Amino acid sequence: MTERAPVLSVRGLSVRFLMPGGRRVAAVTDAHFDVAAGECLALIGESGCGKSVLASALLGLLPGNAQTAGRALLGDLDLLAADERTLARTVRGRLIGLVPQSPAAHLTPVRTVRAHLEETVAQLTGTRGGRRALRAAAEAAAERAAFPPDHLDHHPHELSGGLAQRAATALALVGDAPLLLADEPTTGLDRDLVDRTVDELRRHVDHAEGGGARPDDGRALLMITHDLAAAERIADRVAVMYAGRIVELADATAFFGTPGPRHPYSRGLLDALPDRAFVPIPGLPPELGALPDGCAFAARCDRTTDACAALPPLRGHVACHHPYAVLTEAADRA
């Protein structure tokens, strides 16, 4: 893959939540990654590992008891240092399009889906031509996300979880933002709609509005997902998160195919799939408020030795004292 300039560059991003009694929860620790123009990076890992907290940090949507460190550059703008005015007026919707994890909670209950779309189109695209043009643009936006036209005049409480997800996807795509951040974008969808949704997200990266090919148009996709089949379908690279840390960065083709992941946790995720070994990872992840001093995966890992009592650094795109020894050209590019 030809090296491209990053749309998003994250360096040392950490998030701590200050809890009553002085306790601190290390939700994200020292995350480093880039998302290049024309690229989809899939961020995967079990529930509670910090993926959605990382997304909230990028958008400035963390609660008041959160403390952040590091940098997250979107072009020349450091998202972690930006004030609320900048985030609200410049970033959200315009520079970062969000497909939220809980779409129904992000829709105004007293407004129809059509009203949401028309307002968003008017704000983000500058569509002219009066009411008819705005209506047509809103319907086109709905079609991109496979949202049925006969439900456009429904309110959020009248939508199923899958329809709410598609409405949120349609809204996120309206502004053709440089970075699309999709947090569990396939929740509540059947397999055919999963494929259609992720294909549309991929087209956001690969094509200009209207379908014109633009192989490097300055857009990128960061997709947070539990759906490894969806990740395999559209991702260029994969970032694996465990207990608040990114433990592996890999080329998607090598990760899902040959030689496979290098980190034992990553291998465990794939082996747990029904179409693979269908063997679950034993045990449970540690609490983020009580992480061990060494490798957080050691208690669940069959490759553990005394060396795992020390925290493994990220070396060769994998943070493990005993990674699977498969270095390839594809892995080196990740």
Side-chain angles (χ1 to χ4, degrees):
M1 182 185 296
T2 302
E3 188 171 340
R4 292 162 288 187
V7 173
L8 175 69
S9 182
V10 173
R11 294 291 180 271
L13 193 160
S14 296
V15 180
R16 299 287 184 269
F17 292 114
L18 305 182
M19 308 302 288
R23 190 169 67 96
R24 295 188 174 217
V25 174
V28 180
T29 300
D30 200 27
H32 286 68
F33 64 89
D34 292 334
V35 191
E39 179 182 51
C40 169
L41 175 67
L43 181 60
I44 65 174
E46 291 168 291
S47 294
C49 71
K51 304 186 303 297
S52 293
V53 172
L54 188 152
S56 295
L58 296 177
L59 289 161
L61 295 176
L62 292 170
N65 67 330
Q67 291 183 336
T68 60
R71 303 178 76 192
L73 296 178
L74 185 65
D76 295 328
L77 177 64
D78 186 353
L79 298 170
L80 301 184
D83 58 32
E84 175 57 26
R85 181 184 178 89
T86 300
L87 291 167
R89 297 195 175 190
T90 304
V91 175
R92 299 179 195 131
R94 290 175 170 82
L95 295 179
I96 301 179
L98 171 66
V99 182
Q101 186 175 25
S102 303
H106 287 73
L107 299 172
T108 303
V110 296
R111 308 192 68 194
T112 65
V113 175
R114 185 188 302 277
H116 280 88
L117 283 168
E118 289 184 355
E119 180 183 25
T120 303
V121 167
Q123 289 291 321
L124 299 184
T125 69
T127 296
R128 297 181 179 180
R131 178 73 179 175
R132 180 176 297 179
L134 197 60
R135 184 182 182 92
E139 291 174 353
E143 186 178 0
R144 285 182 74 181
F147 188 89
D150 58 350
H151 283 65
L152 280 169
D153 294 311
H154 285 47
H155 291 82
H157 71 273
E158 299 175 292
L159 304 179
S160 67
L163 284 174
Q165 188 70 56
R166 280 182 271 172
T169 301
L171 289 164
L173 291 170
V174 165
D176 285 315
L179 176 66
L180 189 63
L181 203 168
D183 191 357
E184 301 292 353
T186 59
T187 300
L189 304 181
D190 61 36
R191 198 71 245 167
D192 287 343
L193 280 174
V194 166
D195 291 346
R196 177 163 178 173
T197 297
V198 297
D199 287 349
E200 189 57 56
L201 297 178
R202 182 76 231 191
R203 274 190 287 274
H204 172 84
V205 173
D206 291 337
H207 299 281
E209 187 176 7
R214 292 167 66 183
D216 188 1
D217 63 0
R219 299 183 197 162
L221 169 62
L222 174 59
M223 185 173 77
I224 296 168
T225 186
H226 290 98
D227 189 336
L228 298 186
E232 183 177 7
R233 186 177 179 91
I234 70 165
D236 298 295
R237 290 189 304 137
V238 177
V240 182
M241 201 165 191
Y242 185 78
R245 291 181 180 271
I246 292 177
V247 297
E248 184 166 9
L249 282 162
D251 175 88
T253 301
F255 185 88
F256 289 108
T258 302
R262 298 193 63 212
H263 197 285
Y265 173 65
S266 306
R267 292 227 169 181
L269 287 177
L270 292 189
D271 287 344
L273 296 175
D275 59 346
R276 300 212 182 202
F278 206 23
V279 177
I281 301 173
L284 295 171
E287 292 289 334
L288 294 177
L291 293 174
D293 293 332
C295 175
F297 188 61
R300 307 174 72 188
C301 182
D302 61 6
R303 298 169 72 86
T304 301
T305 68
D306 291 344
C308 302
L311 188 68
L314 187 67
R315 292 181 297 205
H317 303 293
V318 59
C320 181
H321 291 294
H322 308 293
Y324 289 90
V326 281
L327 286 173
T328 67
E329 182 181 350
D332 288 337
R333 288 199 307 268

